[in-house]
């Protein structure tokens, strides 16, 4: 007789292969049709809230693997909180203003010159259309990743209401007394003709001159110091092009300075190294205190203009000469010390990085007409030549230098009239400065990882005033009116509110398309011709930094609560979005916009190298989806340590696909085993091994859930994978096969194991649902009614961990016995003494084994018997805690149905199988 048909073999329609490439898009489309995001909101109405505020990606191209990492990580976090019973909000957003979009429009038009032929309103119209196109493109690409969000109501920074709220945030900062306009040196991109904030600066290697220049003391200075010979302060600079704008030389007030026998003055501390390097020679002729030089004059060797000697703590005695060339128009420290000593701010460089007519008017360079219109970086050699013998030493070297983040051209410091948020002023209504408020709020914030705290603290502590103005076309205008007669800016609240109202109805384009008469509040008290418009636009970091106000506080979106529970972005955003959001929220609300900040690293290739098209190591999300499906990408995100850079490659994705296959097939075998289960066996009536696996699952799942709740997904996935591979698949599913296949359908032992598997499936399902949402939703379709109940899909579930009493199973002892047993079994199989363990029995007097149900003990080792006395020849033995276990061949016949050696003869079935067949 063929007994196969009498076995209860596992059966399920849940496929072994997911066919993710073809099936995911169908599932995601159905989620759209069902409005799953709205359903999630309805399912958790009244529950504790969780708000993740989305940092807006830039609407300027297709999504890359970094975008995918970021949005998937956010989606996993949102869903973890959802399945944990919270009312979640995830309103996606896009940054739509700024330089990159304007650059793309310039390219389409054929360059800057052709763009400048158009009206500003027309350029803005083209920028708006470009951004709108990529908002739609990126939205569809994010949906393909299985990301669920309020896609129908995203925030888009160029929407009219949004622009109005960005402007209102600016007005609120002004009301707090923190908005100032002044001429100050800022990072200037001559290639893009605009000021930049620190967050827009990148550092790259650049070759520059290292030049030591002698500034001879004036006759009056020499007389005052009783010097009757040559005496020149030696300055060191890497920017010869700034020498025309020099108005001072800074010394360290705490240092001593020496005059050498060769006529040069430098810091005493540095003379030895300057001599050793061959830059200077001579011995010390005289020693001076720095204070003796204060307010004396030296002569600029390029143009014979005077240069005032000043004292500043910013002068470091680490390199150079201790005499710092000071041009207040070209440096932050120079500017600050210039304010103290009222040094003239000379600015002879135009917006394109070329010398302007100032050099002729003020006589800043000999033969100045030859330099007008010439780029500063192309003038260094001629300037060095013009200074002649005053150049003590000149060489070239490579160093890290600030570059524009978009054009990758070297930046300059250039004094222009700009708008700043003052970080060291006290906002109206606060006894702390803006910087102090921000630093205090950093301390209150949770950081994942904790190292993010010091990074953000350092950025906040050291940043200068925030330059928020830009000289470009595409952005929210700094829409203030200036009184022509006085230059004063009109900050009347009614005027500002009227402008905001117009922006809300017509967008900020109205500032350029409407005349002043229509933009001005009727009761302003001024006539249109008495006023002029400020034409600068806001830094795009101001746009994104104010999203907490526009999204969470405006009530234009159902986006959650202020403060947001979490901000999630790349680690570069400590100097970008996290910081700009912090300063604007601290300015207006006097607190952080977030309770927690999570940062992730960047995506790199398998060797840890940055991805680039030239290297051919770029992994595009679209390619991954076509080859593997989004679930594999999501599993890669959850299984990677995002605290550092995340490696991705073909081999890594293949490993993720293999891990997915194992997980899927574990679910499949459990679903197949519980397909005919109609009622759960109460825990107290379960078998020992079922209680054991439930206790193991409970412990592991609690650990996984805790890790996930701390956003430590890599640790959680590691715990989970180990449990699935070892305890669940490696032991339990294997040792319960006999009962599940061979016992009667409603046998208590069989339904007990089915119930344990069902409980594991239900808890594991919601545990992995945030990561593998598609798969979890697919599994729901194949769940037996006993655990599915009346639920429509995965989104109707809430995670519940397994709630069971502690099992008396002696885990450590039994693990040790099983491990030692299988070490001997491996040898027996290699020697071809046995083919499988059912040919064996174990003889032992172990009290711990004796306390177990006999069948459970047999199943634990997968043998045909456990006895107290030896019957046949010993095949091997091992010891656990002083107790001997002897391995012998089974003496009974092999049951043709269950294959256990428990039958009387080879033609008969064992007692258990006979009973099942007769029933």
């Amino acid at each position: 007789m063929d007994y196969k048909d009498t076995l209860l073999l596992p059966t399920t329609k849940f496929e072994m292969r997911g066919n993710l490439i073809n099936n995911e898009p169908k599932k995601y489309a159905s989620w759209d049709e069902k409005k799953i995001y709205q359903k999630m909101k309805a399912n958790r109405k009244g529950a504790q809230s969780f708000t993740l505020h989305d940092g807006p990606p830039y609407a300027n191209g297709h999504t890359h693997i970094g975008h995918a990492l970021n949005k998937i990580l956010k989606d996993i976090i949102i869903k973890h909180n959802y399945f944990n019973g919270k009312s979640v909000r995830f309103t996606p957003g896009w940054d739509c203003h700024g330089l990159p979009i304007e650059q793309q429009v310039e390219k389409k038009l054929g360059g800057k010159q052709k763009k400048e032929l158009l009206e500003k309103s027309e350029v803005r119209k083209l920028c708006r259309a470009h951004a709108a196109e990529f908002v739609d493109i990126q939205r569809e690409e994010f949906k393909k990743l299985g990301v669920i969000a309020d896609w129908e109501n995203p925030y888009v920074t160029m929407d009219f209401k949004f622009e109005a709220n960005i402007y209102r945030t600016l007005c609120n900062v002004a009301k707090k007394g923190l908005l100032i306009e002044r001429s100050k040196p800022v990072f200037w991109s001559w290639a893009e003709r605009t000021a930049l904030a620190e967050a827009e600066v990148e550092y790259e290697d650049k070759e520059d001159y290292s030049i030591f220049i002698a500034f001879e003391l004036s006759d009056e200075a020499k007389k005052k110091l009783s010097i009757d010979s040559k005496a020149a302060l030696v300055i060191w600079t890497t920017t010869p092009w700034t020498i025309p704008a020099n108005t001072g030389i800074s010394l360290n007030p705490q240092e001593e300075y020496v005059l050498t026998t060769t006529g040069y003055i430098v810091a005493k501390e540095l003379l030895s190294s300057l001599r050793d390097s061959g830059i200077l020679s001579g011995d010390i002729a005289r020693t001076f205190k720095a204070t003796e030089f204060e307010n004396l004059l030296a002569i600029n060797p390029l143009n014979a203009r005077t240069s005032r000697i000043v004292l500043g703590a910013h002068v470091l005695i680490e390199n150079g000469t201790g005499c710092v060339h000071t041009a207040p128009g070209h440096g932050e420290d120079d500017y600050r010390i210039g304010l103290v000593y009222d040094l003239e701010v000379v600015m002879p460089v135009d917006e394109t990085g070329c010398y302007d007519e100032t050099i002729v008017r003020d006589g800043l360079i000999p033969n100045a007409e030859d330099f007008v219109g010439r780029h500063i970086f192309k003038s260094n050699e001629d300037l060095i030549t013009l200074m002649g013998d005053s150049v003590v030493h000149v060489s070239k070297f490579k160093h890290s230098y600030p570059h524009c983040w978009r054009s990758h051209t070297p930046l300059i410091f250039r004094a222009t009239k700009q708008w700043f948020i003052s970080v060291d002023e006290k906002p109206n209504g606060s006894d702390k400065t803006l910087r102090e408020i921000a630093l205090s709020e950093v301390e209150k914030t949770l950081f994942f990882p904790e190292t993010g705290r010091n990074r953000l603290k350092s950025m906040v502590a050291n940043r200068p005033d925030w330059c928020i103005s830009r000289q470009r076309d595409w952005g929210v205008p700094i829409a203030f009116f200036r009184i022509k007669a006085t230059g004063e800016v009109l900050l009347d609240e009614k005027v500002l509110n009227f402008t905001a109202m117009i922006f809300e109805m017509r967008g900020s384009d109205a500032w350029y398309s409407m005349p002043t008469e229509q933009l001005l509040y009727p009761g302003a008290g001024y006539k249109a011709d008495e006023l002029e418009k400020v034409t600068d636009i806001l830094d795009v970091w101001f746009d994104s930094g104010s999203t907490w106000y526009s999204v969470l506080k405006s009530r234009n979106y159902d986006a959650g609560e202020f403060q947001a529970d979490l901000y999630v972005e790349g680690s570069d955003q400590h100097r970008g979005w996290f910081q700009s959001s912090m300063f604007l929220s601290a300015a207006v609300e006097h607190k952080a916009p977030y309770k927690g900040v999570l940062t992730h690293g960047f995506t790199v290739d398998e060797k840890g190298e940055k991805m680039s098209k030239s290297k051919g190591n770029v992994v595009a999300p679209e390619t991954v989806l076509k080859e593997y499906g989004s679930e594999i990408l999501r599993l890669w995100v959850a299984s990677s340590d995002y605290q550092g850079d995340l490696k991705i490659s073909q081999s890594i994705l293949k490993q993720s696909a293999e891990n997915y296959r194992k997980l899927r097939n574990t679910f499949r075998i459990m679903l197949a085993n519980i397909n005919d289960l109609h009622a759960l066996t109460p825990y107290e009536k379960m078998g020992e091994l079922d209680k054991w696996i439930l206790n193991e699952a409970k412990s592991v799942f609690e650990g996984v859930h805790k890790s996930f709740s701390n956003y430590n997904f890599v640790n959680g996935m590691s715990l989970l994978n180990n449990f699935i591979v070892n305890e669940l698949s490696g032991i339990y599913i294997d040792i319960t096969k006999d009962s599940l296949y061979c016992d009667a359908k409603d046998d208590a032992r069989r339904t007990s194991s089915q119930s344990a598997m069902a409980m594991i499936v239900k808890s594991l399902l919601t545990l992995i649902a945030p990561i593998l949402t598609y798969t979890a939703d697919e599994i729901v379709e194949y769940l037996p009614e006993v655990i599915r109940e009346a639920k429509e899909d995965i989104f109707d579930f809430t995670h519940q961990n397994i709630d069971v009493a502690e099992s008396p199973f002696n885990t450590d002892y039994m693990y040790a016995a099983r491990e030692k047993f299988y070490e001997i079994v491996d040898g027996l199989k290699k020697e071809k003494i046995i083919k499988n363990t059912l040919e064996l029995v174990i003889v032992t007097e172990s009290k711990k084994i004796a306390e177990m149900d006999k069948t459970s003990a047999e199943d634990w080792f997968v043998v045909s018997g456990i006895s107290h006395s030896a019957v046949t020849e010993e095949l091997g033995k091992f010891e656990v805690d002083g107790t001997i276990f002897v391995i012998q061949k089974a003496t009974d016949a092999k049951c043709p149905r269950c294959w256990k050696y428990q039958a009387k003869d080879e033609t008969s079935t064992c007692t258990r199988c006979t009973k099942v067949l007769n029933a």
Side-chain angles (χ1 to χ4, degrees):
M1 180 180 175
D2 185 354
Y3 289 102
K4 187 178 179 182
D5 294 337
T6 71
L7 300 175
L8 296 169
L9 295 176
T11 176
T12 180
K13 290 182 179 178
F14 181 67
E15 297 287 345
M16 184 183 294
R17 295 184 180 278
N19 194 11
L20 301 176
I21 301 160
N22 296 317
N23 291 338
E24 282 176 346
K26 296 172 190 173
K27 176 74 76 177
Y28 297 158
S30 77
W31 288 352
D32 260 0
E33 289 170 21
K34 292 179 182 177
K35 298 190 181 301
I36 288 296
Y37 182 77
Q38 301 303 323
K39 175 177 179 170
M40 288 167 70
K41 281 164 61 175
N43 282 356
R44 300 287 187 266
K45 190 174 182 180
Q48 181 186 347
S49 73
F50 178 83
T51 301
L52 191 154
H53 181 45
D54 189 29
Y58 212 69
N60 190 37
H62 289 274
T63 55
H64 53 65
I65 200 69
H67 286 125
L69 158 66
N70 179 265
K71 271 295 192 291
I72 289 171
L73 187 56
K74 289 172 180 173
D75 185 62
I76 291 171
I77 290 168
I78 279 285
K79 286 173 181 167
H80 171 75
N81 281 279
Y82 173 77
F83 286 111
N84 213 27
K86 291 183 183 176
S87 175
V88 298
R89 292 294 184 273
F90 188 23
T91 297
W94 277 273
D95 237 336
C96 300
H97 296 121
L99 185 59
I101 288 169
E102 202 171 329
Q103 285 178 322
Q104 290 301 315
V105 168
E106 281 177 0
K107 284 181 185 176
K108 287 179 184 176
L109 291 171
K112 285 182 188 176
Q113 291 176 330
K114 291 191 177 179
K115 188 197 82 170
E116 286 167 2
L117 296 173
L118 296 176
E119 291 286 333
K120 185 170 280 200
S121 57
E122 186 61 29
V123 173
R124 288 173 64 89
K125 184 179 176 183
L126 293 170
C127 289
R128 190 175 288 278
H130 179 90
E133 177 189 354
F134 280 100
V135 166
D136 290 339
I137 287 170
Q138 288 189 9
R139 175 175 16 215
E140 293 310 307
E141 290 175 343
F142 285 138
K143 283 183 179 181
K144 289 176 183 176
L145 300 172
V147 176
I148 296 175
D150 197 358
W151 295 117
E152 293 180 8
N153 304 292
Y155 75 83
V156 178
T157 59
M158 66 180 180
D159 285 349
F160 292 173
K161 285 185 177 180
F162 207 102
E163 289 185 328
N165 279 323
I166 293 170
Y167 176 68
R168 287 187 179 108
T169 308
L170 174 68
C171 296
N172 287 335
V173 172
K175 287 173 195 172
K176 289 286 183 177
L178 298 173
L179 191 63
I180 53 175
E181 186 185 23
R182 65 174 182 236
S183 184
K184 182 177 181 291
V186 293
F187 282 116
W188 184 270
S189 173
W190 49 266
E192 303 300 338
R193 303 185 192 183
T194 186
L196 298 181
E198 283 205 11
E200 298 169 300
V201 177
E202 293 179 347
Y203 285 81
E204 299 176 21
D205 282 347
K206 180 178 184 289
E207 186 177 62
D208 270 321
Y209 282 97
S210 171
I211 181 169
F212 294 79
I213 307 166
F215 279 58
E216 187 76 21
L217 286 174
S218 68
D219 291 342
E220 188 180 342
K222 289 181 183 179
K223 186 177 179 181
K224 192 167 184 180
L225 295 169
S226 302
I227 299 173
D228 55 10
S229 59
K230 174 186 174 184
L233 290 133
V234 180
I235 65 99
W236 172 64
T237 184
T238 61
T239 55
W241 60 268
T242 64
I243 295 296
N246 173 281
T247 56
I249 298 172
S250 299
L251 309 184
N252 187 306
Q254 307 301 321
E255 294 295 320
E256 289 187 329
Y257 285 77
V258 294
L259 171 65
T260 66
T261 52
T262 49
Y264 295 117
I265 299 169
V266 295
K268 184 179 183 180
E269 189 78 19
L270 290 165
L271 178 60
S272 177
S273 64
L274 288 166
R275 284 191 299 210
D276 290 347
S277 55
I279 294 166
L280 292 182
S281 59
D283 298 319
I284 297 175
R286 281 184 64 185
T287 302
F288 302 88
K289 290 180 179 178
T291 50
E292 296 179 64
F293 291 97
E294 187 175 19
N295 284 318
L296 300 181
L297 299 178
I299 308 300
N300 187 326
L302 180 66
N303 52 32
R305 286 166 59 96
T306 57
S307 182
R308 182 174 298 279
I309 303 170
V310 298
L311 305 179
H314 68 285
V315 179
L316 303 178
I317 310 299
E318 294 174 357
N319 52 26
T321 66
C323 308
V324 175
H325 152 54
T326 302
H330 287 303
E332 178 74 22
D333 288 332
D334 305 44
Y335 175 77
R336 287 180 178 176
I337 200 67
L339 289 177
V340 175
Y341 284 91
D342 196 26
L343 298 180
E344 182 186 0
V345 178
V346 177
M347 178 40 57
V349 180
D350 69 14
E351 63 179 11
T352 66
C354 297
Y355 286 119
D356 62 18
E357 291 290 342
T358 307
I359 58 170
V360 177
R361 185 192 70 208
D362 294 348
L364 301 182
I365 306 176
N367 309 317
E369 292 85 354
D370 296 343
F371 287 85
V372 174
R374 190 196 294 188
H375 198 280
I376 51 174
F377 291 158
K378 294 180 180 177
S379 304
N380 284 325
E381 288 84 354
D382 288 342
L383 293 173
I384 292 168
T385 301
L386 286 170
M387 285 185 281
D389 292 341
S390 295
V391 177
V392 176
H393 182 85
V394 63
S395 61
K396 279 191 171 184
F397 76 119
K398 274 192 175 181
H399 64 143
S400 182
Y401 188 87
H403 283 66
C404 175
W405 69 319
R406 288 295 172 183
S407 62
H408 297 287
T409 50
L411 298 175
I412 59 175
F413 260 105
R414 178 173 178 264
T416 57
K417 206 163 192 179
Q418 301 289 346
W419 291 91
F420 296 87
I421 293 176
S422 177
V423 296
D424 291 313
E425 294 290 329
K426 293 176 182 177
N428 294 332
S430 173
D431 59 356
K432 293 180 179 177
T433 67
L434 178 54
R435 191 191 304 276
E436 287 168 347
I437 295 170
L439 286 170
S440 171
E441 289 300 298
V442 169
E443 291 305 320
K444 297 175 189 174
T445 303
L446 293 170
F447 284 88
F448 307 92
E450 175 59 29
T451 50
R453 184 184 310 280
N454 284 337
R455 288 198 66 184
L456 186 56
K457 188 192 292 185
S458 173
M459 298 287 178
V460 170
N462 297 310
R463 73 155 300 139
D465 289 344
W466 179 6
C467 177
I468 61 166
S469 48
R470 297 291 179 272
Q471 292 66 48
R472 299 293 302 193
D473 295 333
W474 180 228
V476 175
I478 298 176
F480 297 145
F481 291 109
R482 195 187 302 280
I483 302 164
K484 290 179 183 177
T486 63
E488 181 189 350
V489 170
L490 200 57
L491 292 176
D492 182 281
E493 191 164 351
K494 290 178 180 177
V495 173
L496 302 179
N497 289 343
F498 190 75
T499 303
M501 184 185 70
I502 291 172
F503 284 7
E504 192 156 319
M505 293 187 296
R506 303 186 59 170
S508 66
D509 294 346
W511 190 248
Y512 306 98
S513 61
M514 290 172 66
T516 300
E517 292 84 353
Q518 294 176 22
L519 289 166
L520 184 63
Y521 173 63
Y526 290 91
K527 293 178 182 177
D529 60 2
E530 294 177 316
L531 305 170
E532 61 186 5
K533 297 175 185 176
V534 172
T535 58
D536 294 339
I537 63 167
L538 281 167
D539 170 16
V540 74
W541 289 104
F542 191 101
D543 286 23
S544 58
S546 65
T547 55
W548 57 268
Y549 178 83
S550 304
V551 179
L552 300 180
K553 295 211 76 176
S554 71
R555 298 185 182 176
N556 290 334
Y557 306 88
D558 182 12
E561 299 178 358
F562 177 85
Q563 301 160 300
D565 290 282
L566 198 65
Y567 274 34
V568 178
E569 296 304 324
S571 52
D572 58 332
Q573 295 307 320
H574 290 109
R575 65 199 292 263
W577 190 54
F578 299 143
Q579 189 184 164
S580 63
S581 299
M582 171 65 89
F583 273 110
L584 289 181
S585 183
V588 178
E589 299 291 333
H590 301 181
K591 63 181 179 181
Y594 38 69
K595 297 174 187 174
V597 165
L598 183 147
T599 48
H600 58 76
F602 300 103
T603 51
V604 293
D605 69 10
E606 202 166 20
K607 296 174 184 175
E609 293 180 3
K610 190 177 178 181
M611 292 186 184
S612 69
K613 289 179 182 177
S614 60
K615 287 182 184 175
N617 62 350
V618 173
V619 177
E622 186 183 3
T623 307
V624 179
L625 297 189
K626 284 179 180 175
E627 190 172 350
Y628 294 102
S630 67
E631 292 285 79
I632 307 308
L633 201 53
R634 294 176 68 88
L635 191 57
W636 164 74
V637 171
S639 304
S640 300
D641 184 1
Y642 63 76
Q643 293 190 12
D645 288 342
L646 292 84
K647 293 181 179 179
I648 187 167
S649 64
Q650 267 296 331
S651 62
I652 290 169
L653 287 167
K654 279 180 182 175
Q655 184 57 52
S656 287
E658 177 60 20
N659 291 341
Y660 173 79
R661 186 191 66 78
K662 288 176 183 175
L663 188 58
R664 183 181 180 91
N665 283 338
T666 301
F667 269 110
R668 184 173 180 272
I669 191 64
M670 288 195 291
L671 288 174
N673 281 329
I674 64 175
N675 74 309
D676 57 0
L677 179 67
H678 299 296
L680 293 178
T681 301
Y683 176 76
E684 58 274 11
K685 293 185 179 180
M686 284 185 175
E688 290 171 272
L689 299 183
D690 306 319
K691 288 180 178 179
W692 159 74
I693 196 62
L694 286 174
N695 271 270
E696 291 292 308
K698 176 187 177 182
S699 175
V700 170
F701 292 179
E702 282 176 351
V704 172
H705 191 268
K706 185 178 179 181
S707 288
F708 285 1
S709 295
N710 290 323
Y711 311 126
N712 189 347
F713 298 106
V714 65
N715 184 63
M717 287 306 299
S718 177
L719 288 172
L720 197 56
N721 285 331
N722 284 337
F723 170 72
I724 287 169
V725 170
N726 297 313
E727 287 85 357
L728 187 58
S729 295
I731 300 178
Y732 185 71
I733 289 175
D734 186 46
I735 66 180
T736 53
K737 283 178 183 175
D738 176 72
S739 174
L740 292 167
Y741 298 2
C742 304
D743 283 346
K745 182 179 177 181
D746 296 322
D747 184 89
R749 184 161 158 260
R750 182 174 187 267
T751 55
S752 172
S753 294
Q754 286 183 303
S755 297
M757 281 190 189
M759 290 168 71
I760 289 169
V761 166
K762 187 175 182 181
S763 189
L764 180 57
L765 185 63
T766 48
L767 200 57
I768 61 98
I771 299 160
L772 302 174
T773 321
Y774 162 83
T775 305
D777 198 31
E778 185 189 2
I779 288 167
V780 170
E781 297 171 30
Y782 301 97
L783 289 177
E785 203 58 36
V786 68
I787 52 174
R788 179 172 180 174
E789 297 166 336
K791 296 177 175 66
E792 182 185 6
D793 53 41
I794 189 62
F795 304 101
D796 287 334
F797 285 79
T798 303
H799 177 69
Q800 291 176 329
N801 200 18
I802 295 165
D803 184 18
V804 292
E806 194 171 337
S807 164
F809 191 80
N810 196 315
T811 306
D812 292 342
Y813 181 85
M814 296 302 291
Y815 275 22
R818 196 173 195 277
E819 188 177 340
K820 290 184 177 183
F821 170 71
Y822 274 92
E823 284 175 7
I824 296 170
V825 164
D826 286 343
L828 295 174
K829 284 181 177 179
K830 282 178 185 174
E831 293 170 23
K832 297 186 178 178
I833 295 170
I834 61 165
K835 289 183 178 177
N836 78 55
T837 55
L838 287 176
E839 298 174 42
L840 303 173
V841 294
I842 293 174
V843 179
T844 183
E845 293 184 358
S846 167
K847 289 181 181 177
K848 288 169 183 169
I849 297 292
E851 288 167 1
M852 289 181 68
D853 168 71
K854 185 174 182 295
T855 307
S856 296
E858 290 173 0
D859 286 346
W860 179 254
F861 296 101
V862 194
V863 294
S864 289
I866 304 277
S867 74
H868 299 296
S869 54
V871 178
T872 61
E873 182 187 349
E874 179 185 308
L875 297 179
K877 68 179 178 182
F878 58 92
E879 182 183 328
V880 181
D881 288 356
T883 306
I884 302 297
F885 290 74
V886 177
I887 302 170
Q888 298 182 338
K889 273 261 192 177
T891 53
D892 290 339
K894 181 181 180 182
C895 172
R897 182 172 180 270
C898 70
W899 297 359
K900 276 192 171 183
Y901 285 74
Q902 293 181 347
K904 291 179 181 178
D905 56 60
E906 292 189 359
T907 59
S908 305
T909 54
C910 65
T911 305
R912 185 266 310 264
C913 289
T914 302
K915 185 179 177 182
V916 173
L917 291 172
N918 289 340

